[in-house]
Amino acid sequence: MKRIYIVRHGQTYINRYNKMQGWCDTPLTTPGIEGAEEAGKALSEVPFDIALSSDLKRASDTCEIIMKYNANKDELQHIASPFFREQFYGYFEGMDSEMAWRMIGGSHGYGTRQEMFAHESIDTIKDWIKEADPYHQAENAEEYWARLDDGFKLISQLDGAENILLVTHGFTIRSLWYRYGEHIPLVPGPKNASITIMTMSEKGEIKIPKWNLMHL
């Protein structure tokens, strides 16, 4: 049985300014660094066998901060991979979040993301993001999950790795909640530097028993 400790990266400047941040990237704020350090302390006694992260700097930096507190810090290898990147928002990258979600959900009768997340499937929302993007370059559900599934295939092939650190992103964690959790509310969503625990059996069965933790 693998236990995957999924951490959302610390707060960034774009998070602070409430803008859409998918593949675009901004540095961690001072509170973001402090949040990563708190996550590192909370996970310090979990003997990680490997550390994985998105290759975007905010996630990679958060991962490095968490690693320095870990019981296995002198042995840990960090692999940063595009498999674990955030959803790509295309045209909406860097836009004010509330404005972007109104553009995405408005034609379907939703004025806010909270309403949309409460009533629609995560995959429907992904398809609507691509549909609303004037360039149609944002990822839809099929494109997104093809990438994420490659990442989880990688995890399943890590022989001998029982405790795995994975640092990724807010909408990605929401997506995992929706696919593998049982009745996990998608609003308000994962906090920066929060911890979600996922288990993966030898047969590949995935469950999420705990989510949005700030302490173990």
Side-chain angles (χ1 to χ4, degrees):
M1 176 76 75
K2 297 182 186 297
R3 289 176 65 84
I4 306 161
Y5 295 79
I6 304 173
V7 180
R8 185 184 176 194
H9 61 78
Q11 184 198 66
T12 69
Y13 283 93
I14 277 192
N15 291 152
R16 184 176 183 181
Y17 303 147
N18 194 31
K19 294 180 181 293
M20 299 287 277
Q21 187 175 216
W23 287 11
C24 70
D25 212 3
T26 55
L28 299 177
T29 61
T30 297
I33 294 169
E34 292 170 351
E37 290 174 340
E38 289 303 311
K41 293 172 186 176
L43 294 167
S44 62
E45 298 305 314
V46 178
F48 288 125
D49 298 303
I50 194 165
L52 306 173
S53 76
S54 157
D55 64 342
L56 296 171
K57 192 172 187 298
R58 61 190 184 271
S60 182
D61 286 354
T62 298
C63 190
E64 291 288 334
I65 292 169
I66 293 171
M67 288 169 62
K68 74 180 183 181
Y69 289 96
N70 195 254
N72 282 353
K73 63 183 178 181
D74 294 331
E75 304 167 12
L76 267 184
Q77 179 186 7
H78 175 197
I79 299 175
S81 169
F83 292 154
F84 302 112
R85 280 187 184 183
E86 181 61 296
Q87 172 87 29
F88 180 48
Y89 295 116
Y91 174 81
F92 302 106
E93 294 276 343
M95 183 181 289
D96 175 82
S97 288
E98 299 311 318
M99 180 183 297
W101 287 115
R102 282 197 300 272
M103 291 177 66
I104 293 163
S107 63
H108 301 281
Y110 294 106
T112 68
R113 59 179 160 179
Q114 289 81 7
E115 292 175 303
M116 191 161 40
F117 287 136
H119 294 98
E120 299 293 341
S121 78
I122 209 83
D123 288 350
T124 294
I125 294 169
K126 291 178 188 299
D127 290 343
W128 286 354
I129 295 169
K130 189 178 188 75
E131 173 189 286
D133 177 359
Y135 295 89
H136 303 298
Q137 291 181 332
E139 287 180 308
N140 62 18
E142 181 179 1
E143 293 162 338
Y144 174 85
W145 285 116
R147 178 168 60 80
L148 259 289
D149 286 345
D150 281 342
F152 280 90
K153 181 179 179 181
L154 169 67
I155 290 174
S156 71
Q157 294 171 344
L158 293 172
D159 292 338
E162 295 182 358
N163 294 302
I164 299 165
L165 172 64
L166 172 59
V167 182
T168 184
H169 306 269
F171 196 46
T172 286
I173 295 171
R174 262 197 182 108
S175 301
L176 296 172
W177 286 359
Y178 185 86
R179 178 175 269 197
Y180 298 114
E182 292 185 10
H183 309 297
I184 302 176
L186 299 184
V187 286
K191 300 174 184 176
N192 286 108
S194 64
I195 302 162
T196 289
I197 298 177
M198 172 184 283
T199 61
M200 180 185 289
S201 72
E202 291 183 3
K203 295 181 179 180
E205 183 182 10
I206 296 175
K207 294 182 178 180
I208 297 179
K210 297 182 181 179
W211 60 92
N212 225 3
L213 306 176
M214 302 310 291
H215 304 283
L216 294 185

